Amino acid sequence: MELAANLNQVRERIEAACLRARRNPSEVTVMAVTKSQSPETVRAAADLGLNLFGENRVQEAKIKIGLCPARLRWHMIGHLQSNKCRDAVHFFEMIQSVDSLALAREISKWAAQSAKTMPILLEVNIAGEASKFGYRPEQLLEELPQLNSLPKIEIHGLMTLAPWSPTPERARLVFRRLRELKEQCEQILAAPIPLLSMGMSGDYEVAIEEGANLVRLGSALFDPRATMRSETP
Ligand SMILES: *Cc1c(COP(=O)(O)O)cnc(C)c1O
């Protein structure tokens, strides 16, 4: 089956990247990004040992999650509108795409209503692309204390999307900058924040070399064409 072969190849490449960076492959979690994929595909991925899934639209995820095994874990990775926060808090284990104080407040409010604390990542637009969501680094550092003081969210790390390029190496500085920003955040908070969610199908090996511990993979798992792309340096 194609998915099994793709996953094997991904695991081999993760091991090789970890070897280059002198890291332990067990530090790197693979998230299967299943936007536009069917519940059957999710189940096939789960049967191969994947248990963390990412979705970028609340409406789609809501339906899909209900049709998938209950033991699976789901993260929201797409831009979140405030009128979807209530559902997002209910259906997801983590929201990776928090990019404003207003959104964080809304999430904290709905988490309080369901008597829980919501783990979040802060999304950063490192390259300053107009087409992408996410905090500007300076703005994140400025708002971090206020974000951290919200009662029902817990900051678990940072997330970014590198600019698309046929040359994964181009993303290296973006990933490095996110790792440095995480260290700056840890200094401000005087506490470690564990997660660096960076690297997608075209650039996850470079991301791992730069310290990613969560890679978000869609086409490398579900469409062989993308795996070809990351082969050409
Ligand atoms: C779609 C998506 C991914 C996966 O992208 P691929 O290139 O298919 O691996 C990762 N992160 C986010 C936020 C996405 O929307």
Side-chain angles (χ1 to χ4, degrees):
M1 194 188 154
E2 213 154 77
L3 177 55
N6 289 346
L7 181 60
N8 277 339
Q9 192 183 46
V10 161
R11 293 213 190 284
E12 277 168 23
R13 284 168 179 237
I14 289 175
E15 271 183 37
C18 284
L19 203 63
R20 290 194 292 276
R22 299 172 205 281
R23 299 184 59 198
N24 187 335
S26 68
E27 290 171 20
V28 180
T29 300
V30 173
M31 159 183 287
V33 177
T34 46
K35 61 184 181 218
S36 81
Q37 303 289 339
S38 67
E40 289 69 35
T41 303
V42 173
R43 247 174 273 136
D47 288 343
L48 292 170
L50 291 162
N51 62 11
L52 181 62
F53 295 87
E55 288 284 332
N56 69 341
R57 289 174 57 226
V58 175
Q59 286 309 104
E60 181 183 334
K62 217 171 134 168
I63 297 165
K64 200 180 294 181
I65 292 171
L67 298 169
C68 290
R71 67 192 157 85
L72 305 182
R73 299 160 50 209
W74 298 86
H75 287 190
M76 172 64 179
I77 60 172
H79 181 63
L80 183 59
Q81 287 167 333
S82 57
N83 63 352
K84 301 274 166 54
C85 283
R86 180 190 191 162
D87 276 346
V89 164
H90 182 74
F91 287 97
F92 291 99
E93 172 192 284
M94 182 183 285
I95 298 171
Q96 294 204 1
S97 43
V98 178
D99 61 0
S100 74
L101 190 53
L103 185 62
R105 283 201 180 108
E106 196 67 15
I107 293 169
S108 181
K109 181 186 91 184
W110 287 111
Q113 300 242 351
S114 16
K116 67 187 215 184
T117 302
M118 195 68 197
I120 64 158
L121 301 186
L122 297 161
E123 179 174 356
V124 191
N125 186 354
I126 295 280
E129 287 176 283
S131 61
K132 289 207 169 90
F133 293 102
Y135 268 108
R136 284 181 294 109
E138 322 79 66
Q139 194 194 353
L140 172 61
L141 293 172
E142 205 176 289
E143 289 188 3
L144 191 60
Q146 281 167 283
L147 287 162
N148 192 47
S149 70
L150 293 171
K152 294 296 176 185
I153 61 161
E154 228 166 53
I155 300 168
H156 282 232
L158 304 184
M159 184 269 256
T160 199
L161 283 84
W164 190 89
S165 158
T167 314
E169 194 58 36
R170 288 239 175 120
R172 185 176 298 277
L173 289 179
V174 167
F175 297 141
R176 190 170 298 170
R177 181 74 189 99
L178 193 74
R179 168 164 41 93
E180 289 165 357
L181 191 64
K182 174 175 170 288
E183 286 159 13
Q184 285 176 285
C185 290
E186 288 172 330
Q187 270 174 8
I188 292 173
L189 300 176
I193 49 174
L195 289 178
L196 262 184
S197 172
M198 57 188 196
M200 318 196 330
S201 295
D203 54 23
Y204 65 98
E205 295 157 277
V206 176
I208 289 168
E209 288 170 19
E210 293 300 326
N213 51 21
L214 200 164
V215 292
R216 309 178 309 269
L217 304 181
S219 44
L221 294 171
F222 303 115
D223 170 4
R225 272 171 303 169
T227 344
M228 305 281 292
R229 192 174 73 218
S230 61
E231 243 158 326
T232 36

